[in-house]
Amino acid sequence: MKLWRTLIATLLVMALTPSFASAHTELLSSDPAAGSSIATWPTEISLTFNEQLQSIGAEKSNFVVVNNAVGDQISADDEKLSGSTIKVSLDPNTVQGPVLVYYRVVSADGHPVEGEYTFNFGEGVVTAEGVQNVEKSKYPIGIYIASALFITTSLFFGIYAYRRRNHA
């Protein structure tokens, strides 16, 4: 019985203790840069992260998709990894306006990281006001861990209560 109490107390402490998320890969720089305005269309886009990127087997685990102002995909399917940098070729583009860059990469610790940003193509192009270029990334891993602990603890207490009731 003492073992059960110790196990229950340990599980409660683990469930109630806040977990600290480990840092994941972050986008350091890009060319063209996030929020920038460019007059000449580039032939490729380059993203540099703070950690080495890795490929997982034969499946395509790292990619960059670029869409022009009307939503047409203008990036090729030829991503190249070099350390912490990923590059992709761009098709010719004459549509001026905001360009959306979406990426999904696998960091050195094996976690996928995704995000997006925009830049403007063309001189004197007016875009919607109030739109911010915010990088979106990182999965909320703490939520998954807390959920798993809650479910495991609930199952444990359910089985414990069921056994106790049937043996009493």
Side-chain angles (χ1 to χ4, degrees), residues 41 68-69 74 91-96 99 121:
W41 187 249
N68 65 13
I74 49 177
D91 296 333
N93 176 41
T94 58
V95 179
Q96 294 188 347
V99 177
F121 170 57

Coordinates of all heavy atoms in Angstrom, one line a residue, residues 41 68-69 74 91-96 99 121:
W41 N 13.0 40.4 -59.3 CA 12.6 39.1 -58.9 C 13.8 38.2 -58.8 O 14.6 38.1 -59.8 CB 11.6 38.5 -59.9 CG 11.0 37.2 -59.4 CD1 11.3 36.0 -59.9 CD2 10.2 37.0 -58.2 NE1 10.6 35.0 -59.2 CE2 10.0 35.6 -58.1 CE3 9.7 37.8 -57.3 CZ2 9.2 35.0 -57.1 CZ3 8.9 37.3 -56.2 CH2 8.7 35.9 -56.2
N68 N 2.9 33.7 -55.0 CA 2.9 35.2 -55.4 C 1.6 35.8 -54.9 O 0.8 35.2 -54.2 CB 3.1 35.4 -56.9 CG 2.0 34.8 -57.8 OD1 0.9 34.4 -57.3 ND2 2.3 34.7 -59.0
A69 N 1.3 37.1 -55.2 CA 0.2 37.8 -54.7 C -1.1 37.3 -55.1 O -2.1 37.6 -54.4 CB 0.3 39.3 -55.2
I74 N 5.1 29.6 -57.0 CA 6.2 30.0 -57.9 C 7.6 29.5 -57.5 O 8.6 29.8 -58.1 CB 6.3 31.6 -58.0 CG1 6.3 32.2 -56.6 CG2 5.2 32.1 -58.9 CD1 6.4 33.7 -56.6
D91 N 10.4 30.2 -60.0 CA 10.0 30.4 -61.3 C 9.9 31.9 -61.6 O 9.8 32.7 -60.7 CB 8.6 29.8 -61.6 CG 8.6 28.3 -61.4 OD1 9.7 27.7 -61.6 OD2 7.6 27.7 -61.1
P92 N 10.0 32.3 -62.9 CA 9.8 33.8 -63.2 C 8.4 34.2 -62.7 O 7.5 33.5 -62.7 CB 9.9 33.8 -64.7 CG 10.6 32.6 -65.1 CD 10.3 31.5 -64.1
N93 N 8.4 35.5 -62.2 CA 7.1 36.0 -61.7 C 7.0 37.5 -62.1 O 7.9 38.3 -61.9 CB 7.1 35.9 -60.1 CG 5.9 36.6 -59.5 OD1 4.8 36.4 -60.0 ND2 6.1 37.3 -58.4
T94 N 5.8 37.9 -62.6 CA 5.6 39.2 -63.0 C 4.5 39.9 -62.2 O 4.2 41.1 -62.3 CB 5.2 39.3 -64.5 OG1 4.0 38.5 -64.7 CG2 6.3 38.9 -65.4
V95 N 3.8 39.1 -61.3 CA 2.8 39.6 -60.5 C 3.4 40.3 -59.3 O 4.1 39.7 -58.4 CB 1.9 38.4 -60.0 CG1 0.8 38.9 -59.1 CG2 1.3 37.6 -61.1
Q96 N 3.1 41.6 -59.2 CA 3.6 42.4 -58.1 C 2.7 42.3 -56.9 O 1.5 42.1 -57.0 CB 3.8 43.8 -58.5 CG 4.9 44.0 -59.6 CD 5.2 45.4 -59.9 OE1 4.6 46.3 -59.5 NE2 6.3 45.6 -60.6
V99 N 4.4 38.5 -51.3 CA 4.8 37.1 -51.6 C 4.9 36.3 -50.3 O 5.5 36.8 -49.3 CB 6.2 37.1 -52.3 CG1 6.7 35.7 -52.6 CG2 6.2 37.9 -53.6
F121 N 7.1 42.3 -53.6 CA 7.8 42.3 -54.9 C 7.2 43.5 -55.7 O 5.9 43.6 -55.9 CB 7.6 41.0 -55.7 CG 8.1 41.1 -57.1 CD1 9.4 41.5 -57.4 CD2 7.2 40.8 -58.1 CE1 9.8 41.6 -58.7 CE2 7.6 40.9 -59.5 CZ 8.9 41.3 -59.8

